[in-house]
Amino acid sequence: MSNHAILEVKNLKVNFDVSSEGDMPWTKAKKLQAVNDISFSLNAGETLGIVGESGCGKSTLARAIVKMVPAESGEVVWLGNDLLGLSNAETRPYRKQIQMIFQDPLASLNPRMNIGEIIAEPLRTHYPKTPESDIQARVSDVMSKVGLLDNLMNRYPHEFSGGQCQRIGIARALILKPKLIICDEPVSALDVSIQAQVVNLLMDLQEEMDLALIFIAHDLSVVKHISTKIMVLYLGNMVELANSEDIYKSPSHPYTQALISAVPIPDPSVEKNKNLIMIEGDLPSPINPPSGCVFRTRCQKAQDICSQDKPEFKEVSSNHEVACHFND
Amino acid sequence: MIVANKSKIKKMAENLSESGAGRSLWKDARMRFMQNKAATISLFILISIVLFSFIGPYFAVWSYEQIDWNAMGSAARVGMPSIESGHFFGTDDLGRDLYSRVIQGTQISLMVGVLGASVAVVVGTLYGATSGYLGGKIDQIMMRIVDILMSIPYMFVLILLLVVFGRSIGMLFIGIGLLSWLDMSRIVRGQTLNLKNKEFIEAARVTGVTDFKIITRHIVPNLLGIVAVYATLLVPGIILAESFISFLGLGVQEPSTSWGALIKEGAGTISYDTEWQLLFPLAFFVVSLFCFYFIGDGLRDALDPKER
């Protein structure tokens, strides 16, 4: 592991225009802040886990990094180059270094192509002159890496189980030997035993190929297992960013504390006596976020200052940053 | 030990998967289609009709425009179907051989149907896929054009075209082709919108596949199912339109003929005891349309994504 940051995201903002029913064509669309002012950096070989409720902007953040959704402002610096400033054609060479794995394993594979074609597609796209024998060799190589037999190459996606489909997706992401893989909830559509297989496979591959991972999930135990750093998002805002161990040992933000208290402990006696922090109410609308601290409407510690000032994102200890007024 | 086990398992798995070749969705669909008896029989009958329209002329004694002076004007007594006279299907009122004329009509009607449907498929698919994939303002404009064209009465435009520019097969093609792609483009656009947000399209975009390759490699192959089904249902529709136009007397020109024109003549003389003049072309017409509908139905069942 090197300590050189390969990816730096600086003050990234993504807004969506939302037009409501009954709007006239000239009415200005409302802005929905999907991702608000997010910054982090990622070193080679590291894993950043991103957790948060549904609709808190996890997937949008991932899509903004690979330019699938346009960012409002901010920078995505990949090995010293700001990707957001580049045109589509200029971005293409970088696309082979950043790959993505998707949530629905079957939907992410074209049903009319066989597995060999699907896995080879990135290779054919970026190195169109590769001879067919080399492509075959690379495909079967990468298939054995993810634990698939290479005689399945001529089969079609519908003939595979969810876990196998996810392995195929991983194989497709690996074939160009990328430096970063963004995993958008790669295991939430799989059952628990398969989840473990896929997560362990990702970790093995990470070690072997010195991959950096951005791992999005809403299952905290999975994220804890795989991540070196964890970022907690709430309503498009970062509320806490720290090393994986720190965040579990000493969560500083009330939201993180509540999230972690909700993780079931596999011991009935401990589980029963656990102090569960309940969060009341619903997620506020991101079209009209609360003033000041976004979490204040549901926070037990909320006071006047929370509605007036937005808490700054500051370090409470080394490599542990929190956005809350009540941290020493 | 673990390594040894692994290789053993691998060997076993290799033996299990006999050929290693997967069943593509197309193969699956073909198998399901073959299991549909009505559709398979229809396909067989339709192929026979097509073959008949090409091989049939070699057995004909009379050509389609030759007049048998004996039968002219007395079709009811002399022109009935018989093997000896060479009029296998009888003659029409002018003494022309109905066997040859039905073959001629079959060729023309099927050609109009198939060519018209192909124009609709090509134009409709390209237009719809482009509109759907590009989206936004372009999509809006392209679809409003379709709306406007759709709101013009189809038959009225066709009749007007034929009256103004004269009756000819070419004009008929243009008229039918011009309007029949509209529904196709709608269907294709809807499907494209649906496909566009699928994760495999996003995966391709993240990888850096160009828009053109995404349309040709990922979108069009996934559209072909619905396009195939719609095309088989479009062919009889176009044949019907052509027959209707011919029935009105605006379609193909004498001495050429089509199913619609033959049916019109047959229907006009039905009170003179020459029912074969109506029944032969009508039988071909009805059987072919049934076959097309059954095939379309079979294809739809075979390609239905829910069956996967």
Side-chain angles (χ1 to χ4, degrees):
Chain A
M1 272 194 217
S2 69
N3 283 321
H4 181 63
I6 53 169
L7 176 72
E8 265 184 276
V9 173
K10 292 177 192 161
N11 305 90
L12 189 67
K13 274 187 192 179
V14 179
N15 292 346
F16 291 127
D17 287 342
V18 183
S19 49
S20 44
E21 224 174 298
D23 271 5
M24 293 293 149
W26 53 85
T27 321
K28 250 194 171 176
K30 283 181 188 131
K31 292 263 187 249
L32 182 154
Q33 292 189 338
V35 168
N36 194 9
D37 212 7
I38 286 186
S39 312
F40 64 88
S41 71
L42 188 64
N43 296 344
E46 261 187 351
T47 304
L48 173 72
I50 302 179
V51 290
E53 282 171 86
S54 310
C56 71
K58 299 175 300 228
S59 295
T60 308
L61 173 60
R63 277 165 176 68
I65 294 170
V66 291
K67 292 176 64 168
M68 286 291 113
V69 293
E72 184 83 12
S73 64
E75 280 174 51
V76 174
V77 182
W78 173 254
L79 298 173
N81 299 293
D82 182 15
L83 293 185
L84 298 184
L86 301 176
S87 71
N88 277 341
E90 286 168 331
T91 321
R92 287 194 76 213
Y94 298 102
R95 293 224 181 266
K96 59 187 167 201
Q97 297 166 352
I98 307 176
Q99 292 287 316
M100 209 164 162
I101 300 171
F102 296 88
Q103 178 171 10
D104 186 340
L106 189 56
S108 63
L109 308 175
N110 183 346
R112 303 266 173 213
M113 281 162 86
N114 68 34
I115 302 311
E117 289 166 353
I118 289 174
I119 297 175
E121 187 174 36
L123 196 61
R124 292 214 170 96
T125 304
H126 287 283
Y127 303 98
K129 290 189 186 110
T130 322
E132 197 54 33
S133 56
D134 283 15
I135 291 181
Q136 293 300 320
R138 288 275 293 274
V139 169
S140 63
D141 179 47
V142 81
M143 278 176 85
S144 64
K145 237 180 211 163
V146 298
L148 290 167
L149 294 172
D150 58 6
N151 59 8
L152 299 175
M153 216 184 273
N154 294 320
R155 302 209 166 226
Y156 289 81
H158 66 282
E159 299 175 276
F160 292 90
S161 68
Q164 282 175 313
C165 283
Q166 199 54 286
R167 285 166 191 270
I168 294 162
I170 295 171
R172 170 176 59 190
L174 285 177
I175 194 159
L176 288 174
K177 304 204 168 76
K179 294 193 172 74
L180 169 66
I181 296 185
I182 297 175
C183 314
D184 186 5
E185 306 207 18
V187 295
S188 34
L190 307 173
D191 64 50
V192 180
S193 59
I194 311 292
Q195 282 189 6
Q197 284 180 19
V198 170
V199 169
N200 289 336
L201 171 68
L202 280 171
M203 289 173 79
D204 291 345
L205 290 168
Q206 175 173 38
E207 203 165 304
E208 193 183 320
M209 304 172 74
D210 200 23
L211 278 172
L213 295 177
I214 292 180
F215 193 94
I216 297 172
H218 45 242
D219 184 342
L220 281 166
S221 39
V222 172
V223 175
K224 183 187 179 186
H225 184 61
I226 194 168
S227 307
T228 35
K229 270 196 242 174
I230 292 180
M231 180 199 288
V232 182
L233 288 185
Y234 183 82
L235 216 66
N237 290 267
M238 288 204 287
V239 297
E240 193 157 357
L241 173 64
N243 287 334
S244 165
E245 284 155 35
D246 289 353
I247 217 163
Y248 279 89
K249 249 186 259 158
S250 56
S252 304
H253 196 280
Y255 182 60
T256 320
Q257 287 163 0
L259 278 184
I260 284 169
S261 82
V263 178
I265 299 161
D267 180 347
S269 54
V270 181
E271 174 71 24
K272 212 182 281 171
N273 301 322
K274 188 172 70 170
N275 177 25
L276 194 66
I277 306 170
M278 298 295 283
I279 303 181
E280 310 270 319
D282 289 325
L283 199 64
S285 160
I287 299 174
N288 191 12
S291 64
C293 173
V294 281
F295 187 57
R296 73 174 162 85
T297 50
R298 298 165 81 187
C299 185
Q300 292 172 332
K301 294 184 186 169
Q303 287 172 21
D304 284 350
I305 183 175
C306 298
S307 63
Q308 285 150 15
D309 294 325
K310 193 178 164 85
E312 256 177 75
F313 202 66
K314 54 184 182 252
E315 240 176 23
V316 284
S317 57
S318 73
N319 290 326
H320 191 152
E321 292 167 279
V322 182
C324 184
H325 290 298
F326 307 110
N327 274 301
D328 354 302
Chain B
M1 205 182 82
I2 293 166
V3 176
N5 274 346
K6 246 188 184 168
S7 67
K8 239 184 205 170
I9 290 167
K10 204 171 174 182
K11 230 182 204 169
M12 208 167 78
E14 267 161 19
N15 291 335
L16 278 176
S17 55
E18 16 13 276
S19 62
R23 278 159 54 226
S24 76
L25 290 179
W26 292 115
K27 269 188 203 159
D28 273 2
R30 200 159 58 222
M31 273 172 54
R32 274 203 294 275
F33 184 81
M34 290 306 186
Q35 277 160 10
N36 184 336
K37 282 201 189 95
T40 321
I41 292 170
S42 296
L43 186 64
F44 179 74
I45 294 175
L46 197 65
I47 291 173
S48 313
I49 289 176
V50 172
L51 285 180
F52 170 72
S53 78
F54 285 105
I55 298 167
Y58 295 108
F59 299 103
V61 180
W62 304 80
S63 91
Y64 71 93
E65 47 184 354
Q66 202 177 353
I67 292 171
D68 182 354
W69 299 101
N70 285 326
M72 188 180 187
S74 48
R77 281 176 292 109
V78 189
M80 55 193 53
S82 85
I83 307 239
E84 294 116 65
S85 66
H87 301 301
F88 306 131
F89 291 179
T91 67
D92 68 3
D93 245 23
L94 287 172
R96 290 177 298 191
D97 183 32
L98 209 57
Y99 174 78
S100 292
R101 289 185 68 73
V102 167
I103 287 172
Q104 158 88 20
T106 306
Q107 283 178 354
I108 295 224
S109 284
L110 285 180
M111 185 181 75
V112 169
V114 171
L115 282 186
S118 332
V119 171
V121 165
V122 173
V123 177
T125 309
L126 287 179
Y127 194 90
T130 314
S131 171
Y133 186 74
L134 294 178
K137 282 226 168 64
I138 301 171
D139 180 35
Q140 289 288 322
I141 293 167
M142 287 175 87
M143 281 299 121
R144 290 303 79 75
I145 292 172
V146 169
D147 284 349
I148 291 166
L149 288 176
M150 263 183 168
S151 63
I152 303 169
Y154 175 34
M155 232 2 119
F156 176 71
V157 174
L158 204 53
I159 290 169
L160 213 65
L161 271 177
L162 288 166
V163 169
V164 173
F165 295 102
R167 292 159 53 183
S168 71
I169 287 271
M171 212 58 234
L172 202 64
F173 273 136
I174 293 173
I176 291 174
L178 211 61
L179 295 161
S180 56
W181 59 271
L182 297 173
D183 289 322
M184 193 66 169
S185 70
R186 277 252 150 134
I187 291 169
V188 166
R189 171 183 171 265
Q191 282 292 309
T192 309
L193 284 181
N194 189 11
L195 280 173
K196 192 169 88 168
N197 296 319
K198 284 270 169 72
E199 285 182 335
F200 69 84
I201 302 286
E202 202 172 342
R205 282 173 62 207
V206 171
T207 303
V209 182
T210 55
D211 280 356
F212 178 71
K213 281 248 171 75
I214 287 178
I215 291 183
T216 55
R217 202 188 284 161
H218 294 285
I219 289 182
V220 170
N222 282 289
L223 286 174
L224 284 183
I226 197 146
V227 168
V229 171
Y230 189 70
T232 47
L233 298 176
L234 195 63
V235 172
I238 291 175
I239 292 176
L240 270 174
E242 184 275 331
S243 295
F244 183 66
I245 291 287
S246 294
F247 192 84
L248 293 178
L250 280 169
V252 292
Q253 273 183 305
E254 294 285 355
S256 292
T257 193
S258 74
W259 284 337
L262 285 170
I263 290 167
K264 179 204 168 202
E265 284 170 22
T269 59
I270 194 152
S271 50
Y272 309 138
D273 282 338
T274 54
E275 60 284 344
W276 62 83
Q277 291 180 0
L278 175 63
L279 291 182
F280 278 108
L282 194 64
F284 272 84
F285 180 72
V286 170
V287 170
S288 304
L289 288 202
F290 262 120
C291 288
F292 272 115
Y293 281 126
F294 275 128
I295 291 170
D297 228 33
L299 273 180
R300 191 174 54 211
D301 288 347
L303 296 167
D304 189 349
K306 272 175 259 161
E307 295 273 316
R308 268 175 213 165

